[in-house]
Amino acid sequence: MIGDFIDGARYIFGHRGISMLLILMLLGDVLAVSLFHMLPAFSTGTLGLGIEGMTTILAVYGAGATLAALWLAQGGPSRISPAIVLRAYVIYACAIGALVLMGNLWLAAGAALLWGVAGQIRSTGTIALLQTSIPDEQRGRVMGTEFLFSRIAGGIGTYLVGTAAEQHGLQVPMLIAVGVCLLAWGYAYTRRRAIQSSFLDRPPALVKSESAP
């Protein structure tokens, strides 16, 4: 198991496109997991609504994610590209930043809708690009490594945000995390052509399946 993890990590960081998108995905996971766990406190402290505010935000988020999933399913593999993922990522980060700043439920719900739409495109798009650009013999190792990294990032991020929130409230640590995500996105955006070109060489089996009627 340890050997498979090392092989997966070696493959990830040896692929410039996968490594960059994975870093963005992990930073995004820090935002999402932290907000999910802190949402009751945000709803009570900022919105002053408790369970009603939290469930409304989650329902709107779920509706946005469902719409995005249907849009992706209707478009098929041709709809996923690094450019789409990068656009979704910056909208996703800004939507979470806007959400934690809102003091009005309906404005927060609007930000949650964008969070759901962009977040679904970000996560599904990244996973799809990883899956379709990895050779069969490496796919299990890489996806297993990605899953482990994701859980570690979410746990560490939630702990750090929660610890900082005790002293500074929820908004400040969440906005700092959003700022880190936007800095990482800015770096990735300057390298968007290199990232795009790294995904052009796709496994032959996938190319055949996409060209089939």
Side-chain angles (χ1 to χ4, degrees), residues 135-158:
D136 290 342
E137 63 273 13
Q138 288 288 344
R139 187 170 292 117
R141 295 184 181 92
V142 172
M143 299 313 298
T145 302
E146 179 275 329
F147 179 85
L148 181 58
F149 279 157
S150 177
R151 295 304 178 270
I152 292 173
I156 293 175
T158 302

Side-chain angles (χ1 to χ4, degrees), residues 31 88-98 115 118 122 177-179 181-182 185:
L31 281 181
Y89 183 87
V90 69
I91 295 172
Y92 163 82
C94 290
I96 290 181
W115 170 31
R122 169 201 73 100
V178 168
C181 287
L182 292 178
W185 173 84

Side-chain angles (χ1 to χ4, degrees), residues 21-36 89 92-93 96 115 119 122-123 150 153-154 174 177 180-181 184:
L21 290 185
L22 182 61
I23 289 172
L24 291 179
M25 183 174 181
L26 294 178
L27 290 173
D29 288 344
V30 169
L31 281 181
V33 176
S34 299
L35 184 56
F36 271 123
Y89 183 87
Y92 163 82
I96 290 181
W115 170 31
R122 169 201 73 100
S123 60
S150 177
M174 285 298 298
V180 172
C181 287

Side-chain angles (χ1 to χ4, degrees), residues 28-90:
D29 288 344
V30 169
L31 281 181
V33 176
S34 299
L35 184 56
F36 271 123
H37 284 86
M38 300 297 170
L39 199 53
F42 165 74
S43 179
T44 300
T46 303
L47 298 178
L49 294 175
I51 190 68
E52 297 90 349
M54 183 184 72
T55 52
T56 300
I57 289 172
L58 288 178
V60 175
Y61 163 81
T66 301
L67 290 173
L70 292 173
W71 178 76
L72 290 171
Q74 189 273 331
S78 62
R79 185 153 282 177
I80 296 296
S81 69
I84 290 292
V85 171
L86 286 175
R87 291 190 199 108
Y89 183 87
V90 69

Side-chain angles (χ1 to χ4, degrees), residues 164-175:
E166 291 185 9
Q167 300 294 327
H168 307 287
L170 178 61
Q171 291 179 335
V172 172
M174 285 298 298
L175 291 176

Side-chain angles (χ1 to χ4, degrees), residues 9-11 18 28-29 39 58 88-89 103 107-109 111 114 117 119 140 151 159 164 166 195 200 210:
R10 185 183 295 117
Y11 186 91
I18 290 176
D29 288 344
L39 199 53
L58 288 178
Y89 183 87
L107 292 177
L114 283 178
V117 171
R151 295 304 178 270
Y159 176 79
E166 291 185 9
I195 294 172
L200 293 179
E210 289 180 356

